[in-house]
Amino acid sequence: MEVVVLGSGSKGNSALVRAAGSALLVDAGLSARQLRRRLDAVGQDPARIEAVLLTHEHSDHIAGLRVFRRRFPLPVVANAPTLEATERIVGESLDGSVEQATGTCLEIGPFRVTSFPVPHDAAETVGYVIEAEGVRLGYATDLGHVTHLVHERLASCELVVIEANHDRQMLLDGPYPWATKQRVASRHGHLSNDHAASLLPDLARSSARAVVLAHLSETNNDPLLALAAVKGALHAEGLDAMRVELARQDAPAAGVAV
Ligand SMILES: [Zn+2]
Ligand SMILES: [Zn+2]
C-alpha cells in the first residue's frame, strides 16, 4: 500500500492511497485543476479512483470536490453531518454519496475503511484507518489533541499520515489575530510539532514503519522545525529506523509505501 499526499496545508489538502491496482482519495481540498495535474504527475488515472473520503467540511478539504466530480463523478464517503455540511457549502446534493457512520467499517474495492472521531471544530471530523494488502494506513490531520482513541487507532498502523501544523512559538509570535491563535492552539484546533513528536515514538514502538507529516502551516511552521522535532523524539528513543517524510503544499510529496 502506498500513500501520496498530493498537497497539504491550510491552502488545500488531498491524499491518494493506492493498493492492489486501485485507489482512494482522502479529501479534495485542492482546486480541481490542481487535483488533475497532480494525479497526472504521480501517474494516477482519476477514472480509476474508487471514492473520495472526507475528513470534514472545511474548505481546505473540499474546495475542489464539486468541479472535480463534474468530470469524474466518484462517490463521496463521509458521515451524515459532514455530508450535510458539505452539500450546504457546495450548494448542491452530492449524488451517489455513501454515508459512513463514524466508527463503522466500509469495504471499498480492495480497501477496508474505518473512520474514527477526532477533536476539531467542524460538524463531525474524522480520521481514517485504511486497510489493504494486509497493511494499514492511519490518517489524522485537523485535530486539536491526540485522544486515547486516536492513539489506539494509529498504533495499529504500519503507515501514518499525521498533522504537524505549527511550531508553538512561531504561532505565538506570528501575525495571526489573537482569537485565531487561540483557535489553532485549542483542543479542537490543530496539532503542533511537539504534539506529533510526542506521539510518534509510541507509534514506532507498536506498528508504524513510516510517517508523513502533513498540514504544515506556511505561516506558523518551518518544515525543518517539524522534521527536527519528530526526528529528535524518535532518535532520543533509538527509533531512527522509522521513515519520516514531509507533505508539501505546492506539490505532491514523495510516495511512501509499506
Ligand atoms: Zn485543514
Ligand atoms: Zn479543519
Side-chain angles (χ1 to χ4, degrees), residues 60-178:
D60 57 318
H61 297 261
I62 64 163
L65 190 63
R66 189 172 60 91
V67 175
F68 187 78
R69 286 182 79 245
R70 271 196 208 140
R71 179 74 192 272
F72 304 104
L74 69 181
V76 177
V77 176
N79 56 48
T82 299
L83 283 175
E84 271 167 39
T86 302
E87 288 183 337
R88 212 164 43 237
I89 292 164
V90 302
E92 61 184 41
S93 72
L94 299 167
D95 296 334
S97 61
V98 178
E99 188 181 316
Q100 180 184 22
T102 300
T104 62
C105 175
L106 196 63
E107 308 255 355
I108 308 173
F111 302 99
R112 278 173 65 86
V113 176
T114 310
S115 61
F116 55 89
V118 300
H120 188 60
D121 52 4
E124 190 172 302
T125 312
V126 296
Y128 288 100
V129 172
I130 301 171
E131 188 175 352
E133 300 181 314
V135 290
R136 296 178 194 220
L137 162 71
Y139 190 97
T141 66
D142 298 72
L143 64 165
H145 64 283
V146 176
T147 62
H148 286 299
L149 182 66
V150 170
H151 191 289
E152 183 194 303
R153 290 293 181 270
L154 297 182
S156 72
C157 298
E158 286 80 11
L159 184 53
V160 172
V161 177
I162 184 86
E163 173 171 54
N165 176 258
H166 58 277
D167 173 77
R168 267 193 277 214
Q169 200 59 46
M170 282 182 74
L171 176 67
L172 273 177
D173 296 342
Y176 281 14
W178 180 242

Side-chain angles (χ1 to χ4, degrees), residues 16-74:
L16 176 70
V17 183
R18 298 198 263 216
S22 189
L24 291 174
L25 273 186
V26 182
D27 290 331
L30 303 167
S31 71
R33 175 197 292 239
Q34 279 298 326
L35 275 173
R36 289 186 63 184
R37 248 187 217 163
R38 295 184 193 196
L39 287 168
D40 193 46
V42 303
Q44 178 63 46
D45 178 358
R48 300 195 60 146
I49 299 173
E50 306 260 358
V52 52
L53 316 177
L54 297 184
T55 58
H56 65 305
E57 73 279 13
H58 285 162
S59 65
D60 57 318
H61 297 261
I62 64 163
L65 190 63
R66 189 172 60 91
V67 175
F68 187 78
R69 286 182 79 245
R70 271 196 208 140
R71 179 74 192 272
F72 304 104
L74 69 181

Side-chain angles (χ1 to χ4, degrees), residues 140-226:
T141 66
D142 298 72
L143 64 165
H145 64 283
V146 176
T147 62
H148 286 299
L149 182 66
V150 170
H151 191 289
E152 183 194 303
R153 290 293 181 270
L154 297 182
S156 72
C157 298
E158 286 80 11
L159 184 53
V160 172
V161 177
I162 184 86
E163 173 171 54
N165 176 258
H166 58 277
D167 173 77
R168 267 193 277 214
Q169 200 59 46
M170 282 182 74
L171 176 67
L172 273 177
D173 296 342
Y176 281 14
W178 180 242
T180 311
K181 289 181 185 182
Q182 278 183 312
R183 189 229 138 205
V184 170
S186 79
R187 286 172 66 78
H188 288 78
H190 291 275
L191 290 188
S192 67
N193 294 342
D194 289 347
H195 280 127
S198 63
L199 170 67
L200 280 164
D202 272 356
L203 302 187
R205 270 190 298 268
S206 5
S207 310
R209 303 206 295 268
V211 63
V212 183
L213 304 178
H215 218 304
L216 272 72
S217 168
E218 291 183 302
T219 308
N220 303 309
N221 210 348
D222 178 327
L224 293 177
L225 285 177

